[in-house]
Amino acid sequence: MIVITNPVSIANEIDTIHSLFGNGLELLHIRKPDLSAAEMRSYLSEIKSDLRGQLVLHSHHHLTSSFGINRIHFSESERKKTATIFGKSAFETYKTKGFHLSTSVHNMEDFNALDHVFEYAFLSPVFPSISKENYFSKIDWFQVIKSRTNYSTKLIALGGIESKNTEQTLQNGFDNVALLGTIWNQNNPIKNFKSCQKIVQST
């Protein structure tokens, strides 16, 4: 199971991050689009060094070497821009340097067309977003997922994921789930995490 940071600062955020890892969090995506490189460096410095192998960096990829991070994420726009400018071989170069790559998609066609270098991809929004007001899809993803042909990349559900819909999501073809709003925009983040975790582990 994956957790994505809130884009903006949250009270007691670093303490919550450490508690999440203490309760078995596998990967934390650091998505802070408004942070400068210096601010990102400061933010990463607050996270315990022994956890940095489980961090996935969405921006300021050049900081990975300084913090021993070997996981990077490409947004959909970044992925397409990089492929247009440098070609798909650019992603292979990251892989040969030991990086684990992930990305985001918003339709099944793009997911099916992904290169095998991407270990997993977020597909969103599966349910109405908890963190973004009026952000939802009119698509029935559980029907669309039946057209999946890409099985070399894991498909991760994002958007409105919480304990009440986690089992349904996994039973309908998603490989895993990513949490954002249920952690950062609701009370009891650790309780919410553990509730989803229990379902993922038993499904």
Side-chain angles (χ1 to χ4, degrees):
M1 199 163 63
I2 296 168
V3 168
I4 304 173
T5 62
N6 199 70
V8 298
S9 181
I10 297 288
N12 302 314
E13 184 170 345
I14 300 300
D15 288 342
T16 301
I17 286 172
H18 289 151
S19 293
L20 287 167
F21 278 119
N23 281 280
L25 174 62
E26 298 163 22
L27 295 173
L28 177 72
H29 276 244
I30 308 294
R31 181 178 175 272
K32 298 285 185 180
D34 296 328
L35 291 191
S36 67
E39 290 168 334
M40 179 63 79
R41 184 181 292 276
S42 176
Y43 181 87
L44 293 172
S45 296
E46 294 187 62
I47 299 175
K48 293 177 181 177
S49 58
D50 62 336
L51 299 175
R52 292 173 186 165
Q54 294 167 269
L55 303 181
V56 187
L57 208 53
H58 279 229
S59 59
H60 304 299
H61 293 163
H62 64 283
L63 294 177
T64 52
S65 59
S66 300
F67 289 91
I69 296 172
N70 66 347
R71 300 176 183 275
I72 56 178
H73 184 88
F74 288 89
S75 67
E76 184 173 54
S77 60
E78 286 176 330
R79 183 186 76 248
K80 292 181 176 180
K81 181 180 178 180
T82 300
T84 299
I85 297 174
F86 301 106
K88 289 185 176 181
S89 61
F91 303 119
E92 288 284 359
T93 301
Y94 278 105
K95 290 290 286 185
T96 58
K97 292 180 178 179
F99 285 99
H100 299 272
L101 306 183
S102 59
T103 190
S104 299
V105 297
H106 295 88
N107 62 67
M108 210 61 212
E109 291 77 13
D110 282 351
F111 176 78
N112 285 333
L114 283 177
D115 193 278
H116 70 278
V117 296
F118 293 102
E119 296 181 8
Y120 58 89
F122 295 138
L123 178 64
S124 68
V126 176
F127 298 101
S129 175
I130 299 169
S131 60
K132 298 179 182 178
E133 190 173 354
N134 297 320
Y135 183 58
F136 60 92
S137 175
K138 296 179 180 178
I139 298 171
D140 181 350
W141 288 115
F142 297 150
Q143 285 298 317
V144 173
I145 201 174
K146 294 177 182 178
S147 64
R148 177 182 183 179
T149 58
N150 177 3
Y151 289 94
S152 63
T153 303
K154 289 185 178 179
L155 184 59
I156 312 298
L158 173 63
I161 303 296
E162 51 190 326
S163 59
K164 69 181 182 182
N165 56 35
T166 297
E167 183 175 6
Q168 174 193 16
T169 302
L170 296 174
Q171 288 179 341
N172 278 277
F174 284 90
D175 298 308
N176 207 336
V177 297
L179 309 179
L180 199 166
T182 196
I183 300 297
W184 308 111
N185 296 88
Q186 294 183 346
N187 295 324
N188 303 312
I190 304 304
K191 180 182 178 181
N192 294 344
F193 170 79
K194 292 174 75 172
S195 295
C196 294
Q197 181 189 53
K198 185 176 180 180
I199 295 166
V200 169
Q201 292 174 342
S202 62
T203 301

